[in-house]
Every structure is written in structure tokens, then in C-alpha cells.
């Protein structure tokens, strides 16, 4: 594994952990949360497969959807 892959793996794991912490506080029945959870699960799968680019993309997509739902006030 080269340094770029190592950094990508580190960053992906860091943001995945933060995402999991943030999801704990959210109602999973909110519309579109299934997409957040699916991308989160995809992140873990891609990490297991050492596919760091797709893992990074998945965690970023999950964050984007979650933050959009938060800004739209879906959890209030």
C-alpha cells in the first residue's frame, strides 16, 4: 500500500466513525436515511475490499445526504 492509499484509508475511517456517531442521534425512519445507511454500509464493504477510492466516495455521499437532510430540517 502506498502513502496515498494509506492516507485515503485513514481519512475514510475517520469520517466513517464520525458519521456513525452522528447517525446515532438521528431518526433512521426519516425519508432518505436509507440512502445514508446504504452508503455507510458500502463504505465498510469497500474498505474490506481495499477499494479506498470507492470507500471515500461512499462516505462522502453519505455525509452529503445526511447534511442535506439536516439543513432541510427533516430531523426536527
Amino acid at each position: 500500500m502506498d502513502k496515498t492509499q494509506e492516507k485515503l484509508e485513514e481519512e475514510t475511517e475517520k469520517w466513517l466513525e464520525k458519521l456513525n456517531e452522528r447517525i446515532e442521534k438521528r431518526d433512521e425512519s426519516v425519508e432518505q436515511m436509507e440512502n445514508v445507511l446504504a452508503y455507510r454500509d458500502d463504505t465498510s464493504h469497500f474498505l474490506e475490499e481495499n477499494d479506498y477510492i470507492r470507500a471515500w466516495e461512499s462516505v462522502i455521499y453519505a455525509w452529503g445526504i445526511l447534511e442535506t437532510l439536516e439543513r432541510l430540517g427533516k430531523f426536527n
Side-chain angles (χ1 to χ4, degrees), residues 3-5 14-16 22-23 29 31 34 47 54 60 66 68 72-73:
K3 287 189 182 262
T4 302
Q5 290 173 317
K14 176 179 82 174
W15 286 102
L16 180 58
R22 188 100 153 244
I23 287 173
S29 69
E31 186 178 355
E34 70 270 10
L47 283 171
R54 286 191 176 100
I60 293 306
L66 181 62
T68 299
L72 291 173

Side-chain angles (χ1 to χ4, degrees), residues 4-36:
T4 302
Q5 290 173 317
E6 287 177 15
K7 183 66 174 170
L8 207 50
E9 181 183 25
E10 278 178 33
E11 287 297 310
T12 301
E13 288 175 349
K14 176 179 82 174
W15 286 102
L16 180 58
E17 183 177 333
K18 289 180 180 192
L19 178 67
N20 283 326
E21 290 170 4
R22 188 100 153 244
I23 287 173
E24 286 178 12
K25 302 171 188 171
R26 298 293 178 219
D27 180 0
E28 291 185 9
S29 69
V30 168
E31 186 178 355
Q32 298 304 317
M33 267 304 285
E34 70 270 10
N35 290 325
V36 174

Side-chain angles (χ1 to χ4, degrees), residues 35-62:
N35 290 325
V36 174
L37 299 173
Y39 279 117
R40 181 205 53 195
D41 294 345
D42 288 348
T43 301
S44 297
H45 168 75
F46 290 130
L47 283 171
E48 289 172 9
E49 297 293 317
N50 299 325
D51 189 344
Y52 304 115
I53 292 173
R54 286 191 176 100
W56 174 250
E57 290 172 342
S58 294
V59 77
I60 293 306
Y61 290 154

